[in-house]
Amino acid sequence: MGMDITVLVVDWGHLMEVAPDERLEVLQESAYADDEDDEVDAGWVWSAGPDGSWLGRYEFGGTLGSYKPHFWAAQAWEDVRGTAGIALRTALDDFLSALIWSGPEADDAEHVDAGLFPSQDGLWRPGPLIARGPTTVARLNRCWQEAARALPQLREPYARSAECPGRWIADFDEFSALLSGWAEAVGEAQRRQWGLIGLPI
C-alpha cells in the first residue's frame, strides 16, 4: 500500500467528450496542471485557467496524498462493522465499498463504473482506481446522509475493536475525519451533478 492517490470531482459530460482511450491520460495530466499552490494541506484546489474549470481536486488532511490512510480506514471498518446497527452497517457498507473497501468477501473489488474506460483489463495503473459517475455519486451521497447520523454510535465499539495507536487511522476521530473527507468530495460532486475520480499517482 505504498501508492498515493488524488481525488477529483469531474464534469462527467466534459469527460465523456474525450475519446475513451485518452480519458485516463487527460485526467492524469489535468489533475495537477498549472497548480499554483503546492502547499495545500487539506481541502479544495480549483484551477484558475479555463481548461481546468471542469474538475477540482480534494486534498485529505493529514494524509500527504498517501493511500495508506484509506486502506487502514477500510481495515478498521472490517474490524468494527459487526458492532454497527443494521442501518449504519448497510449505509457504510455501500458507501465504503464503492470507494475504498473491498467488502466482507471480495478479494479485489473494482471501484470503477462501467462505460468510462474502453477496457478494464487493458487499463494499466500503479494502484487502485476509483471512478464513479453522477448516478453513483447521488446514491453515495444518500448513503452518507444515512450513515452520518449514526456514526457517533461507533465511538465506543471502535475503541474496543479497531483502535490501533501508531498506525494510520489510529482512532475513531481519525476514522471519522477521513470518512468525512470522502463525504465532502462526494457531496461536492453531487451538488454539481458531476462524477468522482480517485487516481493513483
Side-chain angles (χ1 to χ4, degrees):
M1 286 297 133
M3 73 287 293
D4 294 341
I5 188 171
T6 190
V7 174
L8 311 171
V9 294
V10 177
D11 182 333
W12 217 245
H14 180 93
L15 184 60
M16 291 302 105
E17 292 176 358
V18 177
D21 59 356
E22 297 176 6
R23 288 173 186 162
L24 185 59
E25 182 179 356
V26 167
L27 285 164
Q28 290 169 329
E29 290 177 353
S30 300
Y32 289 90
D34 301 322
D35 191 354
E36 297 179 358
D37 189 357
D38 291 329
E39 302 300 320
V40 174
D41 293 323
W44 290 101
V45 179
W46 301 95
S47 174
D51 292 339
S53 62
W54 61 279
L55 83 167
R57 190 174 84 239
Y58 184 76
E59 299 286 354
F60 286 83
T63 68
L64 303 175
S66 174
Y67 187 74
K68 288 180 180 179
H70 308 276
F71 170 81
W72 285 114
Q75 181 61 53
W77 175 236
E78 288 188 14
D79 293 341
V80 79
R81 69 183 291 271
T83 68
I86 293 175
L88 176 58
R89 186 181 332 136
T90 300
L92 269 189
D93 276 357
D94 290 348
F95 186 77
L96 294 176
S97 64
L99 298 170
I100 59 173
W101 183 51
S102 297
E105 298 177 1
D107 292 327
D108 186 19
E110 284 292 349
H111 299 98
V112 180
D113 285 349
L116 180 59
F117 300 112
S119 170
Q120 285 294 98
D121 294 336
L123 189 62
W124 178 87
R125 57 196 189 268
L129 176 69
I130 301 160
R132 298 304 189 187
T135 300
T136 301
V137 163
R139 177 176 61 81
L140 295 180
N141 193 57
R142 291 192 298 271
C143 288
W144 177 254
Q145 298 305 315
E146 179 70 25
R149 292 190 290 267
L151 193 63
Q153 299 172 11
L154 285 182
R155 181 176 291 278
E156 290 185 12
Y158 195 102
R160 294 193 304 269
S161 304
E163 193 164 297
C164 189
R167 82 174 184 192
W168 289 97
I169 311 301
D171 56 29
F172 177 77
D173 288 335
E174 292 184 1
F175 175 76
S176 180
L178 190 86
L179 267 58
S180 295
W182 278 109
E184 169 72 16
V186 166
E188 182 65 22
Q190 160 68 6
R191 186 179 72 80
R192 294 171 178 264
Q193 299 184 357
W194 284 8
L196 184 144
I197 301 281
L199 288 179
I201 54 173

